[in-house]
Amino acid sequence: MVELHNITITTKKDDRTLIQNLHLTLQTGDKIAIIGEEGNGKSTLLKLIYAEQMIAEYCIYEGNVWRIECSMGFLSQELSDEEKRRSIADFFTENQWTKELVRAMDDLGIHALDSDKRMGVLSGGERFKYRFLSLLAQKPDVLLLDEPTNDLDIQTIEWLEAFIQQTAIPVLYVSHDETFIANTANGILHMELTKRKQVPKYTFSREPYENYITNRMSHLNKQEQISRKQASDHRKQMEKWHDVWNKAEHQHRNVSRSDPRLQKKIKSLKNQRERMEKASETFVEAPSVEEASEFRFDSAVHVPGSKQILDFSLEGLQIANKQLSKQIHLSIKGPEKVAIIGENGVGKTTLLKKIMDELVQHSSFKIGYMPQNYEDRLNSTQTPIEFLERTGNKDAITKAYTHLGSMKFTKDEMHQPIQNLSGGQKAKLLLLKMILDQCEILILDEPTRNISPLTNPVLCRALTAFDGVIISISHDRRYLHEVATTVYELTSDGLSKIKYGIVATWLTLLFEFNILTLISYETYVERAQ
């Protein structure tokens, strides 16, 4: 239905190749996830497939995109300013009332599509519902989805998983949500930029995500072993050759230059070296892969377990005179890691901001904040180095460079305006600021939403080891399992801690669906207890 032939994409600004000689055919029944580190061109590829002019401003491409008599529905990562000003009804001017659309409306709790409410005033999850329904209303032959789960609550994510599993429509999507990918993809397109982001490579495999990761690691380990053994054997052969050569050279210089046997031996040794050098050209290369970023919180940061961090109460939670929740109470002691879940539009982000205001006013601890909208904390005209280090201290600047390098920023990215960075790079920048400032309390609104599937486990391990306090909103099921020590649900009736029985049932279901692959079920039960 869609075929990419020999696609190469290069950025106009710095002439950097993001994708080279990509071949891909999208067929009926395909559910292909595009994965890779931040800034690798995943969204750019989706845009190219949908309409070439979408990337014309910042990229050039070679090759062919063949769309064989098919219409495509494209869900972009963000709404444009013009789309935010449009009403809900404006998105449904050409409805095709299909059974799939009506069923999806029922499932998502949407009863009408003729509202004059503007998209810009809706929550991220509400926007997704109407935008996704508008795609179904166009009756597309192919769906292209860019980070569809970013703003969704767990219930809506699970609905989308079921939809993708059951639909006959081919789906090509970018996602950083490991669990979502594991539950939906039957093929993986892995895009990498190796050798300090200078050499692009891609891997396409028609297999589930977990199989791909397992087989990839097995292949890389085998390749590494073969490469090391060949290099070691070659080194030993060369050492022996040098010993023989040195003796022959000594004889040639000091014993007899005219001895024909010695001349023959020297010629034989030269031929032998040529053969070994030629053979080394066919050796298996050490695997060149794009490595995950590193997150290292300072081990000196510590919050005592007996310390009361927060005792927060709120009679009512409101937005624009609309009451969202009531009788909220949250008490936190010591290095607790709290996660808040809840349906879209219930007021989680509003609550998190109020908690932060309370801590800023009454806490003596250093506080770091990652908002859902990164631009609330980032000056888009600054460079990453300028954002991280304003004192001009040489050692501090060197430290900032080192940390940015560990998070796979190139020298060019360290010195370009933040507005040019990807969402994942902006997220890393905010986390890095907290690390360098040695923050003791981290307030995080969806911390993993733009972090790649390969780096996300690294971040989760770092946050788990962090000996300070974390207060977060998350619908990332891996994050909830590995990082959160306490999970609360925000509803219209207040904030309630999820009891052990509920968590255990939830974990059992997830385990049965083969999602928990890195930590055993027993570990989760023990932690929940």
Side-chain angles (χ1 to χ4, degrees):
M1 301 183 76
V2 176
E3 186 173 345
L4 310 182
H5 180 70
N6 210 30
I7 294 293
T8 295
I9 301 177
T10 306
T11 60
K12 288 184 175 180
K13 181 183 177 183
D14 54 7
D15 197 35
R16 188 156 56 99
T17 302
L18 301 176
I19 303 166
Q20 190 165 38
N21 301 330
L22 170 65
H23 294 266
L24 177 68
T25 302
L26 192 63
Q27 304 168 347
T28 301
D30 278 346
K31 316 294 169 59
I32 308 299
I34 307 176
I35 66 171
E37 291 297 302
E38 301 78 18
N40 279 9
K42 301 182 296 296
S43 297
T44 297
L45 178 62
L46 272 192
K47 291 175 183 176
L48 172 68
I49 296 171
Y50 182 65
E52 293 92 334
Q53 60 268 28
M54 291 188 74
I55 69 167
E57 186 177 337
Y58 64 98
C59 283
I60 58 175
Y61 83 97
E62 299 174 0
N64 296 295
V65 180
W66 290 312
R67 308 170 187 89
I68 305 170
E69 296 183 358
C70 68
S71 64
M72 287 185 285
F74 176 54
L75 186 78
S76 60
Q77 200 169 136
E78 300 288 345
L79 279 176
S80 67
D81 291 338
E82 187 275 329
E83 288 174 318
K84 289 177 183 177
R85 291 190 292 268
R86 293 169 62 188
S87 70
I88 291 172
D90 291 337
F91 278 75
F92 296 92
T93 55
E94 298 181 6
N95 263 9
Q96 296 193 44
W97 289 95
T98 64
K99 289 182 180 179
E100 200 162 47
L101 173 60
V102 174
R103 189 184 306 115
M105 287 177 64
D106 289 341
D107 292 343
L108 295 173
I110 303 296
H111 306 296
L113 304 175
D114 57 355
S115 171
D116 60 0
K117 185 179 289 187
R118 298 195 181 280
M119 294 290 284
V121 304
L122 303 177
S123 71
E126 290 170 324
R127 289 179 191 175
F128 164 83
K129 292 177 182 179
Y130 286 110
R131 292 174 72 203
F132 194 78
L133 289 173
S134 74
L135 296 185
L136 296 184
Q138 298 164 26
K139 203 174 179 182
D141 299 309
V142 174
L143 282 174
L144 307 175
L145 311 177
D146 195 356
E147 295 289 0
T149 65
N150 262 2
D151 298 308
L152 305 187
D153 56 36
I154 293 175
Q155 182 179 353
T156 309
I157 292 174
E158 291 175 344
W159 174 85
L160 182 58
E161 287 176 350
F163 175 90
I164 292 176
Q165 290 166 358
Q166 295 166 12
T167 185
I169 303 172
V171 185
L172 180 65
Y173 63 93
V174 174
S175 180
H176 289 143
D177 186 330
E178 277 188 287
T179 308
F180 179 77
I181 295 170
N183 286 349
T184 54
N186 58 21
I188 302 294
L189 174 59
H190 186 178
M191 294 168 51
E192 299 178 84
L193 288 176
T194 65
K195 298 182 180 178
R196 301 190 66 79
K197 297 191 176 182
Q198 297 303 307
V199 179
K201 63 179 290 188
Y202 76 90
T203 306
F204 178 63
S205 178
R206 291 187 181 277
E207 60 183 333
Y209 176 71
E210 291 167 342
N211 291 2
Y212 170 74
I213 292 297
T214 300
N215 293 336
R216 167 184 163 86
M217 291 308 300
S218 175
H219 172 74
L220 291 177
N221 289 336
K222 185 177 181 179
Q223 185 179 345
E224 178 74 22
Q225 290 172 1
I226 293 173
S227 176
R228 286 184 177 181
K229 186 175 189 312
Q230 287 178 332
S232 175
D233 291 345
H234 180 69
R235 187 171 57 253
K236 291 175 182 177
Q237 288 175 341
M238 290 304 298
E239 286 173 356
K240 290 180 180 179
W241 181 90
H242 276 293
D243 288 341
V244 177
W245 175 260
N246 289 336
K247 290 177 182 177
E249 278 246 292
H250 176 76
Q251 290 176 331
H252 188 253
R253 285 195 306 267
N254 302 309
V255 181
S256 174
R257 293 176 178 269
S258 59
D259 188 339
R261 290 174 300 177
L262 186 58
Q263 294 294 335
K264 187 176 180 181
K265 183 175 184 180
I266 287 177
K267 184 178 180 180
S268 174
L269 285 170
K270 287 180 178 180
N271 291 336
Q272 185 182 4
R273 174 164 186 154
E274 288 178 4
R275 288 195 301 272
M276 287 191 294
E277 288 176 345
K278 191 171 183 179
S280 68
E281 294 174 1
T282 64
F283 286 176
V284 173
E285 290 186 10
S288 176
V289 297
E290 188 171 40
E291 297 177 353
S293 297
E294 298 175 22
F295 295 88
R296 299 188 301 273
F297 288 90
D298 195 326
S299 58
V301 173
H302 171 69
V303 176
S306 58
K307 183 72 174 178
Q308 182 76 42
I309 304 302
L310 179 71
D311 191 14
F312 176 78
S313 294
L314 198 64
E315 289 188 8
L317 182 66
Q318 295 182 334
I319 295 180
N321 297 323
K322 177 185 177 182
Q323 180 157 307
L324 302 173
S325 187
K326 60 186 179 181
Q327 300 301 323
I328 293 171
H329 180 71
L330 179 61
S331 178
I332 299 175
K333 280 187 177 182
E336 195 171 358
K337 297 177 175 67
V338 171
I340 299 171
I341 65 171
E343 293 184 1
N344 291 126
V346 76
K348 300 183 297 297
T349 293
T350 302
L351 175 60
L352 197 67
K353 289 178 179 177
K354 289 186 178 296
I355 291 171
M356 184 184 69
D357 292 341
E358 176 78 9
L359 287 167
V360 168
Q361 291 179 34
H362 300 107
S363 175
S364 59
F365 290 103
K366 291 182 182 177
I367 300 170
Y369 175 49
M370 172 190 276
Q372 196 171 100
N373 180 15
Y374 302 142
E375 281 66 28
D376 291 347
R377 286 275 158 157
L378 295 172
N379 181 341
S380 61
T381 61
Q382 283 185 322
T383 67
I385 285 292
E386 290 169 342
F387 170 72
L388 293 175
E389 183 45 53
R390 303 184 181 97
T391 65
N393 180 278
K394 187 176 179 180
D395 291 340
I397 292 174
T398 300
K399 190 174 183 180
Y401 274 116
T402 301
H403 276 276
L404 282 170
S406 71
M407 292 192 182
K408 312 310 173 191
F409 280 73
T410 65
K411 201 76 176 266
D412 178 65
E413 289 167 340
M414 295 179 194
H415 291 283
Q416 65 176 265
I418 290 172
Q419 64 190 8
N420 294 339
L421 301 179
S422 69
Q425 289 172 315
K426 292 174 183 177
K428 289 178 180 179
L429 205 52
L430 289 166
L431 290 164
L432 181 50
K433 181 66 174 170
M434 298 179 204
I435 291 172
L436 294 175
D437 288 347
Q438 294 187 310
C439 293
E440 296 149 307
I441 300 176
L442 309 183
I443 301 177
L444 311 175
D445 197 343
E446 297 285 1
T448 63
R449 67 198 293 259
N450 283 308
I451 303 298
S452 81
L454 301 180
T455 293
N456 195 17
V458 181
L459 175 59
C460 285
R461 286 196 294 270
L463 291 173
T464 301
F466 175 65
D467 203 22
V469 174
I470 299 176
I471 306 172
S472 59
I473 294 170
S474 183
H475 296 124
D476 181 333
R477 287 159 286 184
R478 178 172 192 146
Y479 175 92
L480 293 172
H481 302 150
E482 293 189 15
V483 180
T485 56
T486 311
V487 178
Y488 290 88
E489 182 178 14
L490 180 64
T491 66
S492 58
D493 293 324
L495 193 66
S496 57
K497 187 184 294 188
I498 292 182
K499 303 295 183 183
Y500 162 71
I502 297 173
V503 175
T505 302
W506 190 19
L507 292 172
T508 301
L509 289 171
L510 290 172
F511 191 79
E512 287 174 353
F513 280 106
N514 197 28
I515 293 172
L516 308 180
T517 58
L518 299 179
I519 299 179
S520 69
Y521 173 68
E522 289 77 17
T523 302
Y524 281 104
V525 171
E526 181 181 349
R527 186 166 186 177
Q529 287 174 326

